[in-house]
Amino acid sequence: MIAALLMALALQASPELAPADEARAQGLMREVRCMVCAGESVLDSSAPMAGDMRRFIREEIAAGREDEAVRTALVARFGHEVLMRPPMEVRTLPLWLAPLIFLALGGALLFTSMRRKARKDSL
């Protein structure tokens, strides 16, 4: 039982980072989406999974990994959805184009509606 408690405490512990490395870690945590909370970064989330992701990021930085390597590891595990700003690729193009398409459709509907109303009023 004591061994299990010590193991649980060891798993909870995050490596202590130098202030510059902690700032790097927090910057990365702002770029990574919590996979449990909708639209929240792992830095802001209180979900247990976000805590695991924060610990992973700190461990990777403590091991000397570059920011891009940490992002790549997270994307390999969770997919591009883990990034708050996914890269522009053919696979993620719908994510980037959807707002423009919906804006154009809304504008077209508004234009058509106003045109019909103007015709109706002129009769």
Side-chain angles (χ1 to χ4, degrees):
M1 185 157 132
I2 293 176
L5 180 62
L6 290 175
M7 184 177 248
L9 289 174
L11 289 174
Q12 291 291 337
S14 290
E16 287 294 320
L17 297 175
D21 287 339
E22 181 61 30
R24 259 184 65 208
Q26 288 189 12
L28 273 170
M29 291 174 204
R30 282 186 193 92
E31 297 175 17
V32 175
R33 181 184 320 274
C34 175
M35 299 309 288
V36 177
C37 310
E40 221 175 343
S41 73
V42 295
L43 186 64
D44 300 326
S45 175
S46 60
M49 185 175 196
D52 293 340
M53 293 170 83
R54 286 191 297 268
R55 186 171 23 276
F56 173 79
I57 291 170
R58 284 190 178 105
E59 288 170 356
E60 292 294 298
I61 288 177
R65 307 276 191 296
E66 295 294 322
D67 293 0
E68 192 57 38
V70 177
R71 275 189 216 95
T72 302
L74 288 165
V75 167
R77 186 169 187 180
F78 299 104
H80 286 288
E81 296 81 23
V82 76
L83 300 176
M84 294 295 262
R85 282 181 257 146
M88 187 172 273
E89 297 175 345
V90 173
R91 231 175 82 191
T92 60
L93 205 55
L95 293 172
W96 291 97
L97 293 179
L100 297 174
I101 292 169
F102 287 125
L103 183 64
L105 287 173
L109 287 172
L110 180 65
F111 178 76
T112 304
S113 173
M114 292 179 75
R115 195 168 165 194
R116 283 183 186 164
K117 185 175 192 275
R119 280 187 188 164
K120 187 178 178 181
D121 289 344
S122 67
L123 294 177

